[in-house]
Amino acid sequence: MQSARGSLAWWAVAPFALAVLLCLFLLGAAGLLYRSSLRLTDAAARGQAEAWVAELRQSFRGRSEELEAFAERHRANGLLHLSVRPPHPGPTHSAGDPPLGDDGQILPTGVTRVELPLFDGPPGPPQHRIPPPGRPPNLSFGAPLPGPPPGMRPGRRPLPAPGPRPGRPPLPFGAPAHPTVVMEFRSQAIRELTARAQTVWASALGASGLVILAALGFGGLLRQRRQLELELEDDRRLASLGQMSAVLAHELRNPLTSLKGHAQLLEAAVSEQGRLASKAQRVLSETVRIERLVDDLLEFVRSRDIDRSRTDLVRLIAAVVDELGAQGRVKVVADGGSYWNLDAQRMHHVFANLIQNALQSDSSGTITVRLTPHGEVLEVTVDDEGPGIDSADLETIFEPFRTHRTRGTGLGLTISRQIVEAHGGRIEASNRPEGGARFALSIPSEAFA
């Protein structure tokens, strides 16, 4: 049984683990596809910008009207803002809407910003930083001192060093040597590509969730199937045990009946002889105990067919109390009608077992049997004032052959549950908050006033 339950845990975990691996693979593939789509989107945006810059080179001659016409001509294609910035401090030509990405602002969704040089040829002569006045130029170690330029006679005044043109400040070191074009635009193709990439990623997430849910459901089905197999195996064992018990009980009944009769005659014959009378009484009591064991075995394997009839439950419980000799110990409370439609003979066995168990666990307290009809369901509680039921036994108390007593078969509560379930009801065991045990029965039937 332990190995079977171990395999149950494995079969419950294996589908989930396989689903997790599949989801990781699916999400990894979707992530790679999403990153590729983003790179393709950037490449498409740069290609669109380069195409517009190439067209702008042919039409732009430094006038704002040309830039405005270009921006208006491509507004339908998604061009929002266009500006040309010179390589030196000076006026910037702008057209279209105001820029959205200046000063480090985050661009709205779907808007792309690209900066490209207006001319793709080689830049002009490299711009060098002019040393401040009074500072000699940086000379490397071992280089000769600067002298007069070739062809100049010593003593003549050299020409002034070349500097920036009048009206134009020097360029900072590393500044671009060509005008820069800044574009902000929305492209329908780029938007569609981005939307498809997001759709693929969302679909991968949704598919992963569905796979996880399917794995959990499949694991639950496997767990239920395995649990049913274990229960069927237990039922087959109980059925085999029941058949064996029935055969054994039938074979023992006739010898026990004969033994009981002879023991009763022996007890009557030696009733005047003290020692022999006590031994004869011991033989009779043990015979009665074995007979009760045989009756329990036969009741355990008995058919679950019941014969319902109009029954006075108060009178039925009073008969059980008289049979057990517990007058004054049992209190019956009927909250409503005392008549109910059930099998009186078999319910007699149930109440006898529950009350006897309460008497054995509580030697001096009061046992309360309460009958409460709720519509078509009869609620019956049997309460005692004993120590209660051990928490470890609450889940297994109705299983067969489970008892802590030296005398008994452990079939009483099992038979009681079978009889109650044959009536379409249920029986549960619990501990009362104020102390003691409680057995609650729910029996559906048609009540009689």
Side-chain angles (χ1 to χ4, degrees):
M1 184 65 67
Q2 294 297 331
S3 61
R5 297 190 184 277
S7 62
L8 169 63
W10 165 250
W11 283 107
V13 172
F16 184 74
L18 183 61
V20 169
L21 292 177
L22 181 60
C23 290
L24 291 177
F25 176 78
L26 181 61
L27 291 176
L32 290 177
L33 182 60
Y34 184 71
R35 292 183 60 184
S36 300
S37 300
L38 293 181
R39 286 195 292 266
L40 185 59
T41 301
D42 294 340
R46 189 172 183 85
Q48 177 70 58
E50 289 178 352
W52 281 340
V53 168
E55 182 180 350
L56 186 63
R57 291 174 189 148
Q58 306 297 327
S59 59
F60 182 64
R61 294 294 181 269
R63 294 192 296 270
S64 299
E65 298 82 12
E66 299 170 344
L67 206 62
E68 289 286 352
F70 184 89
E72 188 65 27
R73 185 166 61 251
H74 291 284
R75 180 176 293 275
N77 298 328
L79 183 61
L80 302 177
H81 171 75
L82 176 64
S83 61
V84 178
R85 299 177 179 177
H88 51 78
T92 299
H93 299 281
S94 299
D97 300 335
L100 301 174
D102 280 353
D103 300 329
Q105 297 178 358
I106 300 177
L107 292 173
T109 303
V111 177
T112 304
R113 179 185 177 93
V114 178
E115 296 186 13
L116 293 173
L118 179 59
F119 301 107
D120 57 354
Q127 304 293 328
H128 299 287
R129 183 175 297 169
I130 300 175
R135 180 177 178 180
N138 186 18
L139 298 177
S140 55
F141 181 78
L145 296 176
M152 179 179 295
R153 290 178 300 173
R156 293 196 61 178
R157 186 178 182 182
L159 295 176
R165 287 180 292 174
R168 179 176 295 179
L171 292 177
F173 182 76
H178 290 311
T180 302
V181 180
V182 179
M183 294 182 177
E184 292 179 358
F185 57 92
R186 284 192 180 97
S187 174
Q188 182 65 26
I190 294 175
R191 286 203 303 269
E192 291 179 357
L193 188 59
T194 304
R196 289 179 182 178
Q198 294 174 351
T199 301
V200 169
W201 179 247
S203 301
L205 289 177
S208 300
L210 291 178
V211 170
I212 293 294
L213 292 178
L216 291 176
F218 186 67
L221 291 177
L222 287 179
R223 186 164 53 252
Q224 292 179 2
R225 177 182 175 183
R226 190 59 182 169
Q227 188 65 34
L228 289 176
E229 291 178 356
L230 295 176
E231 292 177 358
L232 288 176
E233 184 178 353
D234 292 340
D235 291 341
R236 284 194 296 267
R237 292 180 179 178
L238 290 177
S240 301
L241 181 60
Q243 293 176 359
M244 180 186 68
S245 301
V247 173
L248 181 62
H250 280 292
E251 292 296 329
L252 291 177
R253 176 174 287 275
N254 292 332
L256 279 176
T257 302
S258 176
L259 180 61
K260 180 180 178 182
H262 285 81
Q264 290 173 342
L265 292 176
L266 179 61
E267 183 187 21
V270 297
S271 60
E272 303 295 334
Q273 305 177 24
R275 186 174 182 182
L276 291 178
S278 63
K279 291 186 176 181
Q281 188 177 4
R282 177 68 179 275
V283 172
L284 180 60
S285 64
E286 294 297 329
T287 304
V288 171
R289 189 171 70 88
I290 296 175
E291 184 181 29
R292 188 178 297 114
L293 171 61
V294 172
D295 291 339
D296 287 344
L297 290 176
L298 289 176
E299 184 67 29
F300 177 68
V301 298
R302 186 179 176 184
S303 172
R304 295 193 176 188
D305 295 336
I306 59 174
D307 184 14
R308 293 178 182 266
S309 61
R310 186 172 181 266
T311 304
D312 186 353
L313 290 176
V314 175
R315 182 176 298 178
L316 175 63
I317 296 173
V320 172
V321 173
D322 293 339
E323 180 181 321
L324 296 176
Q327 295 85 351
R329 294 282 311 280
V330 180
K331 180 176 68 173
V332 181
V333 180
D335 298 332
S338 62
Y339 287 90
W340 206 260
N341 192 25
L342 44 75
D343 191 328
Q345 181 181 1
R346 305 196 70 178
M347 287 304 297
H348 181 280
H349 185 94
V350 174
F351 287 117
N353 181 70
L354 295 179
I355 294 175
Q356 184 177 12
N357 287 345
L359 291 171
Q360 292 175 353
S361 62
D362 183 12
S363 59
S364 60
T366 301
I367 300 168
T368 304
V369 181
R370 185 177 298 274
L371 310 174
T372 308
H374 296 284
E376 296 185 353
V377 178
L378 174 65
E379 300 288 343
V380 182
T381 57
V382 180
D383 298 339
D384 61 49
E385 299 176 356
I389 306 172
D390 189 15
S391 58
D393 297 332
L394 284 175
E395 296 183 359
T396 61
I397 193 171
F398 292 104
E399 294 184 4
F401 307 109
R402 290 185 177 272
T403 180
H404 297 291
R405 300 190 179 99
T406 56
R407 292 175 176 266
T409 61
L411 292 175
L413 291 178
T414 304
I415 296 172
S416 299
R417 183 179 64 176
Q418 289 179 349
I419 295 174
V420 173
E421 290 178 350
H423 282 81
R426 68 179 187 275
I427 180 172
E428 297 176 350
S430 62
N431 290 316
R432 302 168 57 207
E434 57 272 19
R438 167 173 291 177
F439 287 88
L441 291 73
S442 299
I443 305 174
S445 178
E446 181 180 355
F448 295 92

